[in-house]
């Protein structure tokens, strides 16, 4: 377990006890990345900020539900943001904007570069980096797109030019392989 994971777990524990410093610590450590994930899903900065604001309220009010044995603190926090963003899309509270295909293609390429850069920035001695490095490139990219970039399985399948079922299977099997490697 890394120091950051321990810090986030401690911050969630503090939130569960009503200590506002815990929420501030989570905000300071993760807010920028959380906005990026939400923006990838809802496509607009102001909506992404709204998603993250709602997510922090949920983190504050539901921190007592976090269970370390069920997953990392970071994963729990990011799942809340991702789910809030997807709920916003489903609820129709997002205005659809017509974006030129060319602009979207450029943004997708930049997003993919940022996602892969996140993997490359991991500490070279990190167990996660080692385990991700053992995966085949396309499977690694799919997992990173889902869990770093916030892409849906359908978006991953489209960008990797794979059938949806194949993308889902690769991600599921890749996660199982990662879990075994990390154990």
């Amino acid at each position: 377990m890394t120091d950051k994971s321990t810090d986030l777990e401690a911050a969630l524990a503090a939130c569960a006890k009503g200590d506002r410093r815990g929420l501030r610590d989570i905000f300071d450590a993760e807010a920028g990345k959380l906005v990026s994930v939400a923006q990838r899903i809802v496509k607009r900065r102001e909506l992404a900020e709204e998603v993250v604001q709602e997510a922090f309220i949920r983190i504050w009010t539901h921190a007592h539900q976090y269970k370390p044995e069920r997953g990392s603190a970071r994963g729990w926090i990011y799942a809340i943001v991702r789910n809030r963003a997807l709920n916003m899309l489903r609820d129709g509270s997002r205005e659809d904007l017509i974006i030129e295909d060319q602009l979207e293609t450029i943004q997708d390429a930049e997003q993919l570069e940022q996602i892969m850069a996140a993997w490359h920035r991991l500490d070279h001695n990190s167990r996660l980096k080692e385990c991700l490095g053992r995966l085949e490139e396309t499977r690694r990219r799919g997992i990173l797109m889902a869990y770093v970039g916030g892409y849906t399985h359908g978006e991953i399948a489209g960008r990797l030019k794979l059938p949806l079922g194949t993308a889902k299977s690769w991600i599921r099997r890749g996660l199982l392989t990662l879990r075994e490697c990390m154990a």
Side-chain angles (χ1 to χ4, degrees):
M1 188 174 288
T2 66
D3 288 336
K4 277 193 167 188
S5 295
T6 306
D7 291 346
L8 288 175
E9 282 185 20
L12 282 174
C15 288
K17 294 176 186 171
D19 183 352
R20 291 182 178 169
R21 286 179 296 188
L23 192 64
R24 184 174 44 238
D25 291 344
I26 295 169
F27 183 86
D28 291 344
E30 300 295 326
K33 295 174 216 154
L34 293 171
V35 170
S36 294
V37 168
Q39 187 173 349
R40 172 68 202 104
I41 296 168
V42 298
K43 306 281 191 223
R44 291 179 39 206
R45 178 74 181 198
E46 66 275 9
L47 291 177
E49 290 171 355
E50 185 178 328
V51 164
V52 172
Q53 180 179 355
E54 290 175 12
F56 271 98
I57 292 168
R58 183 153 183 92
I59 290 165
W60 174 253
T61 59
H62 290 77
H64 64 280
Q65 293 179 344
Y66 168 68
K67 304 284 185 242
E69 62 274 6
R70 295 189 68 205
S72 72
R74 176 172 278 116
W76 189 80
I77 291 166
Y78 278 71
I80 289 172
V81 169
R82 187 171 188 274
N83 290 339
R84 286 276 155 205
L86 292 172
N87 285 345
M88 181 177 278
L89 290 179
R90 275 187 224 114
D91 294 342
S93 45
R94 173 184 172 255
E95 294 176 22
D96 286 327
L97 297 177
I98 298 173
I99 300 173
E100 295 178 30
D101 289 341
Q102 192 174 32
L103 177 61
E104 192 169 307
T105 302
I106 291 169
Q107 289 172 336
D108 280 345
E110 290 173 359
Q111 180 73 19
L112 287 174
E113 284 178 28
Q114 291 173 358
I115 290 168
M116 295 311 291
W119 175 60
H120 291 293
R121 283 192 308 266
L122 285 173
D123 181 19
H124 291 291
N125 298 324
S126 163
R127 183 83 175 136
L128 178 59
K129 182 162 185 152
E130 176 187 333
C131 292
L132 279 168
R134 291 181 183 178
L135 294 175
E136 185 258 319
E137 173 68 25
T138 308
R139 293 176 190 206
R140 177 176 48 243
R141 185 173 293 222
I143 288 172
L144 291 170
M145 288 171 73
Y147 291 94
V148 175
Y151 285 84
T152 65
H153 287 120
E155 290 172 323
I156 293 167
R159 281 161 180 81
L160 297 179
K161 297 180 180 23
L162 297 169
L164 178 59
T166 302
K168 286 181 176 182
S169 295
W170 282 9
I171 291 169
R172 183 177 41 78
R173 281 185 267 160
L175 289 173
L176 291 172
T177 302
L178 277 178
R179 182 173 289 168
E180 289 172 8
C181 180
M182 297 290 289

